[in-house]
């Protein structure tokens, strides 16, 4: 493997042979790309990583292509990790900054009230940290896309792992959040098709700090496995602390967000033994490039944001400048990504491509399970 960091640009295969005029830095009016990101609040770690990754992608484009890199202006708005903040950011970026495309918002599946704003204005949206199956399940919104992994495919993989492992009785405990509501639905469907018995589903209240009664119910039910997920870090930490204090023994499963807790020394001991499903990174060199640029690891949806920016730059480079043309280009093109390899967008705007893996957090870090 080469040790030098190499630049990765999205390769686009056009569905048409009609020549188009690319937007370059010689053009006098750059296209505004709106970035509604959580730079404060409980999703700030996600939003900051997304912003860093997108800036890295743009820097690479300018270094590699010089004047041939599309002329763009990044307009950044903090969504504050709230529904109101996300709505305000969408209005500002579309109505005042005149963004032709939005990349974001952070956790858009939890703050879906902002999405109709872009839809009414005909502005395409590429979300980097929200599952398309939670945003556009019926495929009736042609302008919403996601470079984040398909949550339904991800959960299907997790449930099949449970079946292969001989874990037949499953319990779920989730916070009241649209993301986890969607995960619950996908899990029920996957369990039904894989002959997994769901013994109980427990819902917790927002900002709940004590989970002792719920954990005692879980111990009494004695499921083989428990899938969990909560609205913020504080709830996750409190649940895991109390889980260990009450000596619950069922195997814990969740999504890849839990891996971020291992990187935090104060929380590391809490996540030992937790298993999670995660996408297989198609290009591990992205991690090295991000580390070299920012001196820290690219957490959560950083790679998805890097892909989204490269996809957008490719659209502009190939002449898709107006919002409507950008949306059409995304639907009829294929892209090389660091997250999933070569992908296209499916009929609901999700990525077709990529593989998943099961991980378990050990003392020395996350390890891939052999099953």
């Amino acid at each position: 493997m080469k040790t030098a960091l190499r630049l990765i640009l999205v390769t686009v295969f056009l569905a048409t042979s009609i020549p188009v005029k690319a937007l370059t830095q010689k053009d006098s009016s750059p296209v505004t790309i709106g970035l509604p990101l959580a730079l404060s609040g409980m999703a700030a770690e996600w939003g900051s990583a997304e912003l860093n990754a997108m800036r890295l992608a743009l820097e690479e484009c300018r270094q590699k292509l010089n004047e041939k890199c599309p002329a763009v202006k990044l307009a950044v708005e903090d969504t504050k990790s709230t529904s109101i903040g996300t709505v305000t950011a969408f209005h500002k970026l579309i109505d005042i900054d005149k963004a032709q495309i939005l990349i974001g918002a952070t956790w858009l599946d939890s703050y879906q009230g902002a999405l109709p704003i872009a839809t009414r204005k005909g502005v395409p949206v590429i979300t980097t940290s929200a599952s398309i199956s939670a945003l556009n399940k019926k495929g009736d919104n042609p302008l919403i896309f996601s470079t984040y992994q398909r949550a339904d495919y991800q959960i299907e993989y997790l449930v099949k792992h449970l079946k292969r492992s001989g874990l037949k009785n499953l319990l779920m405990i989730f916070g009241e959040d649209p993301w986890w509501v969607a995960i619950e639905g996908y899990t029920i469907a996957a369990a039904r098709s894989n002959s997994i018995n769901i013994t109980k589903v427990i819902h917790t209240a927002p900002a709940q700090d004590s989970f002792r009664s719920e954990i005692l119910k879980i111990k009494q039910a004695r499921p083989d496995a428990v899938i969990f997920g909560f609205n913020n870090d504080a709830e996750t930490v409190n649940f895991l602390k109390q889980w260990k204090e009450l000596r619950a023994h069922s195997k814990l499963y969740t999504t890849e967000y839990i891996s971020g807790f291992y990187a935090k020394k104060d929380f590391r001991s809490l996540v030992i033994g937790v298993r999670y499903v995660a996408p297989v990174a198609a290009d591990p060199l992205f991690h090295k490039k991000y580390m070299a640029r920012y001196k820290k690891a690219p957490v959560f949806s950083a790679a998805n944001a890097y892909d989204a920016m490269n996809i957008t730059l490719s659209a502009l480079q190939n002449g898709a400048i107006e919002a409507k043309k950008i949306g059409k280009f995304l639907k009829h093109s294929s892209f090389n990504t660091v997250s999933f390899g070569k992908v296209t967008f499916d009929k609901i705007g999700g990525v077709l491509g990529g593989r998943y893996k099961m991980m378990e957090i050990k003392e020395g870090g996350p390890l891939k399970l052999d099953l």
Side-chain angles (χ1 to χ4, degrees), residues 28-312:
S28 57
S29 301
V31 167
T32 298
I33 301 175
L35 306 181
L37 303 172
L39 302 178
S40 61
M42 61 184 177
E45 194 171 1
W46 291 65
S48 297
E50 290 169 347
L51 180 58
N52 286 342
M54 287 189 278
R55 284 176 170 165
L56 176 61
L58 183 56
E59 288 172 6
E60 290 179 350
C61 179
R62 288 171 174 168
Q63 291 169 5
K64 180 71 174 181
L65 299 181
N66 297 316
E67 290 184 348
K68 292 184 179 180
C69 181
V72 300
K73 172 187 175 183
L74 301 184
V76 183
E77 283 296 319
D78 182 9
T79 66
K80 302 178 182 178
S81 304
T82 66
S83 294
I84 294 176
T86 304
V87 168
T88 301
F90 268 53
H91 273 303
K92 166 70 164 50
L93 292 168
I94 293 172
D95 296 332
I96 298 177
D97 295 316
K98 306 300 180 184
Q100 294 283 9
I101 184 171
L102 301 184
I103 304 179
T106 310
W107 292 7
L108 184 58
D109 41 13
S110 293
Y111 310 125
Q112 296 184 35
L115 193 53
I117 299 168
T119 303
R120 286 195 299 269
K121 297 286 186 175
V123 175
V125 176
I126 304 179
T127 177
T128 64
S129 53
S131 174
I132 194 65
S133 43
L135 296 172
N136 197 28
K137 187 175 182 180
K138 296 181 180 179
D140 51 5
N141 188 337
L143 292 177
I144 176 68
F145 303 87
S146 176
T147 55
Y148 198 61
Q149 51 267 25
R150 285 279 300 262
D152 46 352
Y153 296 169
Q154 192 175 13
I155 293 301
E156 176 74 21
Y157 188 90
L158 188 158
V159 171
K160 286 183 176 179
H161 163 82
L162 297 180
K163 184 177 182 178
R164 293 194 302 270
S165 303
L167 304 177
K168 299 179 180 179
N169 295 305
L170 172 65
L171 184 146
M172 293 183 280
I173 177 168
F174 294 129
E176 293 288 353
D177 177 87
W179 164 258
W180 295 115
V181 170
I183 293 295
E184 178 185 325
Y186 303 143
T187 305
I188 291 172
R192 186 181 299 120
S193 62
N194 285 279
S195 301
I196 299 291
N197 177 45
I198 295 179
T199 60
K200 195 177 187 65
V201 179
I202 299 174
H203 297 127
T204 62
Q208 184 169 327
D209 56 8
S210 176
F211 299 90
R212 295 181 184 279
S213 63
E214 288 85 356
I215 293 172
L216 290 174
K217 290 177 182 177
I218 294 172
K219 290 184 68 174
Q220 186 176 14
R222 301 179 66 181
D224 298 320
V226 174
I227 297 180
F228 72 94
F230 301 101
N231 301 348
N232 56 54
D233 288 359
E235 292 175 41
T236 300
V237 168
N238 286 334
F239 172 78
L240 292 173
K241 280 183 178 178
Q242 292 159 29
W243 180 268
K244 290 186 178 295
E245 289 169 1
L246 294 174
R247 300 180 183 275
H249 296 297
S250 300
K251 294 185 182 298
L252 288 176
Y253 288 84
T254 189
T255 60
E256 77 285 351
Y257 89 100
I258 201 67
S259 62
F261 287 83
Y262 183 81
K264 302 173 183 178
K265 190 175 295 185
D266 292 342
F267 302 147
R268 187 169 296 171
S269 63
L270 298 177
V271 296
I272 301 301
V274 176
R275 296 179 174 185
Y276 62 94
V277 60
V280 176
D283 193 334
L285 284 180
F286 168 73
H287 187 280
K288 294 182 179 180
K289 292 193 302 179
Y290 189 101
M291 284 285 292
R293 175 66 176 82
Y294 297 109
K295 312 305 179 188
K296 56 184 176 181
V299 296
F300 306 122
S301 49
N304 310 92
Y306 178 87
D307 290 333
M309 178 57 72
N310 273 327
I311 288 170
T312 301

